Structure formats: C-alpha cells, structure tokens
Amino acid sequence: MIRTMSRINRRGFIKNSALALGAVAVSGCSGENEMMLYNEAAEKTRAVIDKNADLRDMVRYATLAANGHNTQPWKFRINKSTATILPDFSRKTPIVDPDDHHLFASLGCASENFAFTAEARGRPAEIIFNTQDHGEILIDLGNGKTNESEFFKAIPYRQCTRSEYDGKKVSVSDLKLLEKTAQVKGISLVLITEKEPMEKVLDYVIAANSSQIDDPAFVKELKEWIRFNPSQALETRDGLFSGCSGKPTMPTWVGNLIFRFVFTKDSSNDGYAKQIRSSAGIAVFVSDKNDKEHWVNAGRSYQRFALQATALGMRHSFINQPVEVAEIRPDFTKWLGAGDKRVDLVARFGYAPALPMSLRRPVEDVLV
Ligand SMILES: Cc1cc2nc3c(=O)[nH]c(=O)nc-3n(C[C@H](O)[C@H](O)[C@H](O)COP(=O)(O)O)c2cc1C
C-alpha cells in the first residue's frame, strides 16, 4: 500500500542520460595517484556484468546494493539453482543499529540486485525469506528469457549521494513511477514533497542527529567505519570513504585526531538543513510489522525505489536519524500517522551530479 503526502508537481527535469560513474577526483592531502587507483578500483567493482555471467559475478552485482555504513554485512552461498544471502553478524553496528534492523534491510537491498541481475541473465528469481536460524534470504533461480530491465542497468550507477541537490522538483509521472516500483508486500511508502512537512522531518533529523553526536559510543562506532583517504578505503574496501561524501581526504592519523573536533553538531546539522532544503522530496519506508522479514522487505522496497530513481537520473541519500534514535522514533512515527507500524528508512531525493562511487570487497571474501 502506498500513501502519498505530496502535492505532485509538473514534470520539470531532463532525464540524466549520462549516468556517469562519478569517478571524480578529490582534492586534499592525498595524492592524485592514490585517487586514480581508487577510481580504477571503483570502476572495476562496478564494471558492467558479462553477458555469460556466472553466479559469482551475480554476487558482485548484488553487493553493489546499499548497506548500512558500507559494512557489507552479508555472506553468499551459491549453487546451480539457488543463492542464499546470510547475515554476517561480525559486521554489525550495535550502537546505531542495536536490533540489526539495518543489517537485515541491507540483505534485502542485496536480494533485489541479485534478482534483477539473475533475470537479466535468463535466471528469473524468486526472493524468499527463510526464518530458520537467524534468518536468511533464499534466491530461487529458474530458467527463462533474458530481461535486461532498467533496474538491472541502473545497478552499477546507484549511489547514496550525500551532497546538496539543485532544488528542482520531480514530475508527477516520475513520483508515481517511484511509488509503483517501490511496492513490496507489507511495506508502505510515504512521499513528502511539501515544504512544511519536509521542514518537520528536518526538525526530527536535527534532534536525532544532535542526540547521536552527543553519544560518544555512536561517534566512536561511526569513526571506526570512516575511511579518511583513498589508500585506507582501498585497503579495507568497505566503510565510508570521505571522498564519497564530497568531504576532503587526509592521512588516517590526522583524521583520527581531528574527527571529534570537526564532526560537530552545528556543522553536521547545518549540512543536513542545506541538503534537505535542496531536495525535491523525502521518501519514508514503513513496515506493517516489526520483524526481520519486514525489515528485509523494507530494504527491498528502498532498493527498487533507488534503482528506479537512478534510471530516471535522480539522486537520493538516507537521513535515517529519526528512526535510529530510540527516544525519537515513537514521536516521528506518531507525526507520520504510522500507528503501531515500524518506520524503517528515510531518504531524501532530487537532482545532483554524482560523487565518487563507494568500493566493495571482492566476491571471494563474501562467498561461503
Ligand atoms: C539500512 C541502511 C541504512 C543506512 N543509513 C544511512 C544513514 O543513516 N545515513 C547515510 O548517509 N547513509 C546511510 N546508508 C547508506 C550507506 O552508507 C551506503 O549504502 C553505503 O555507504 C554504500 O554506499 P552506496 O550506497 O553509495 O553504494 C544506509 C544504507 C542502508 C541499506
């Protein structure tokens, strides 16, 4: 079920046909050579999948999905007719995600990428959540015609773009398309495009972001996943590379030393205000029930939304703070009118140039 809080606006954008990979050089202390190596690795990670791709290569495309803090909290087991996506709890982020909600949503994101990729290579897929043990996702692969959907084609170009957008509105028809594509069982999508409710969401983001920055455990956990320069990002091939957020790069020891002083409430909240006010709208994903299967489905719904947005030349980025802070989530849920449902994910969307793409670990590292 999709509920819309938007006054849907006139078509007003030109589809971004280029969808450039976003291999943008980042200035700062790190040398150009380092950034060149980074860009090469990012391009290789996101190389268009071969026509005769095997399941291993499909795993690579699955891992290009969004995932909390780029922890890549997944393992894949493949055989001829199935793939299983398993949670990797060694990569959990217990402070920002104490109930593993984001972890399971991340698995849902990967499952959608897997299914679109398999379909494109003649293996139409069904996604089944298996509740046994900790919960895992079975991708049941059939045989059929190849179908290279626009979602499949968008996989290597989707990114979370944490920059200011250009303020342009999204057309009525594209908003409707986003709503339609995001439909997944048990998940509702609320689209907010009016100024007043967007400002209210900003208030919640600022309150929750301030509370997170006040929490030393949150800041410590976040810092552990920040990669301050291309070399550090290349070493781990996970985490949040500062260049991907349009931030300056610096030696790791400098980053570790100054992070607490640079990452302040005022600068961070100012940034969110500019980012939200320059966006065309906000998408909120809500589950009927608060359990792992629904969290997975919320991730699937987001990933479908994100691939559709990418195919339309749009950008998006998460602003999940109001659902991450336990003291603020109930009030946010009430304001949204979501009753006893679980508000899962919050993302802004609009138009902007691409930023550098994030990396992923090699396929061998995620196969079991
Ligand atoms: C469940 C989930 C929660 C996320 N939460 C946030 C968030 O609160 N803030 C943010 O900037 N990005 C968030 N992200 C985005 C990830 O950081 C991003 O997907 C990851 O760094 C990989 O980058 P990419 O999506 O550009 O490939 C989240 C992603 C997922 C799937």
Side-chain angles (χ1 to χ4, degrees):
M1 196 269 285
I2 306 279
R3 193 161 58 80
T4 310
M5 281 174 71
S6 57
R7 183 192 52 183
I8 298 180
N9 296 293
R10 201 169 57 80
R11 184 176 188 85
F13 88 103
I14 299 165
K15 189 170 159 183
N16 178 357
S17 54
L19 287 176
L21 262 179
V24 183
V26 176
S27 61
C29 302
S30 305
E32 272 176 29
N33 192 37
E34 240 187 298
M35 198 57 214
M36 206 174 71
L37 291 174
Y38 180 94
N39 285 337
E40 274 170 19
E43 275 179 37
K44 207 169 157 205
T45 305
R46 289 165 189 272
V48 173
I49 194 168
D50 200 74
K51 287 274 175 215
N52 304 312
D54 59 13
L55 261 66
R56 282 174 70 97
D57 219 18
M58 290 184 199
V59 169
R60 175 173 65 87
Y61 252 41
T63 68
L64 297 182
N67 63 93
H69 281 12
N70 199 17
T71 55
Q72 305 163 39
W74 41 50
K75 291 276 183 192
F76 293 78
R77 191 191 303 129
I78 50 176
N79 66 35
K80 281 197 175 114
S81 59
T82 59
T84 309
I85 309 179
L86 309 145
D88 181 351
F89 292 110
S90 70
R91 299 188 150 256
K92 63 192 275 165
T93 47
I95 307 298
V96 71
D97 186 30
D99 58 2
D100 293 327
H101 168 279
H102 284 1
L103 189 151
F104 279 93
S106 303
L107 303 189
C109 297
S111 72
E112 279 299 320
N113 269 17
F114 206 121
F116 283 130
T117 307
E119 184 190 34
R121 293 295 171 260
R123 306 295 305 270
E126 196 187 344
I127 300 170
I128 303 158
F129 184 76
N130 193 341
T131 50
Q132 79 183 34
D133 296 332
H134 296 294
E136 56 188 41
I137 303 173
L138 181 72
I139 315 276
D140 195 8
L141 300 162
N143 288 297
K145 276 196 198 150
T146 59
N147 176 28
E148 293 201 354
S149 64
E150 59 181 330
F151 312 115
F152 160 73
K153 287 180 186 155
I155 288 172
Y157 305 102
R158 184 215 55 81
Q159 68 166 201
C160 292
T161 312
R162 298 183 191 88
S163 56
E164 276 181 55
Y165 297 171
D166 68 6
K168 281 197 197 129
K169 302 285 182 195
V170 175
S171 70
V172 174
S173 55
D174 286 350
L175 286 172
K176 284 188 173 156
L177 206 52
L178 288 168
E179 287 178 342
K180 190 168 164 237
T181 307
Q183 285 184 30
V184 172
K185 192 168 165 262
I187 308 300
S188 311
L189 172 64
V190 181
L191 286 183
I192 301 169
T193 58
E194 294 278 14
K195 190 164 180 266
E196 205 183 305
M198 282 177 71
E199 285 292 319
K200 189 70 191 166
V201 176
L202 172 60
D203 290 345
Y204 281 112
V205 169
I206 286 177
N209 191 52
S210 302
S211 149
Q212 287 180 325
I213 295 176
D214 277 340
D215 176 1
F218 172 86
V219 175
K220 182 171 178 283
E221 182 181 80
L222 176 65
K223 197 173 88 175
E224 277 162 15
W225 288 100
I226 301 239
R227 308 291 175 249
F228 292 103
N229 53 71
S231 298
Q232 193 190 9
L234 279 167
E235 209 171 289
T236 62
R237 301 183 68 106
D238 62 12
L240 302 161
F241 170 43
S242 53
C244 291
S245 301
K247 297 271 192 296
T249 63
M250 60 193 74
T252 309
W253 70 269
V254 176
N256 281 327
L257 198 67
I258 68 170
F259 184 70
R260 198 70 183 96
F261 307 103
V262 178
F263 181 60
T264 62
K265 264 193 283 196
D266 284 351
S267 67
S268 177
N269 289 337
D270 279 358
Y272 281 115
K274 287 185 184 132
Q275 290 172 5
I276 290 172
R277 287 180 179 142
S278 65
S279 298
I282 293 169
V284 188
F285 300 82
V286 184
S287 291
D288 283 351
K289 284 192 187 157
N290 190 20
D291 61 25
K292 287 175 187 159
E293 183 169 7
H294 284 79
W295 304 344
V296 164
N297 281 349
R300 292 179 56 193
S301 178
Y302 151 77
Q303 188 71 20
R304 296 176 67 86
F305 173 96
L307 292 174
Q308 179 68 82
T310 306
L312 291 168
M314 293 165 58
R315 303 279 164 205
H316 70 281
S317 182
F318 285 103
I319 38 170
N320 279 326
Q321 291 89 340
V323 297
E324 289 170 349
V325 175
E327 296 75 32
I328 290 178
R329 194 166 64 226
D331 201 24
F332 183 61
T333 306
K334 196 171 164 202
W335 171 77
L336 206 62
D340 58 359
K341 296 181 178 181
R342 167 85 186 234
V343 185
D344 294 283
L345 299 167
V346 188
R348 64 191 176 94
F349 56 89
Y351 301 95
L355 285 173
M357 290 291 193
S358 58
L359 295 179
R360 296 293 185 274
R361 290 176 295 147
V363 171
E364 307 83 80
D365 287 17
V366 298
L367 287 178
V368 289

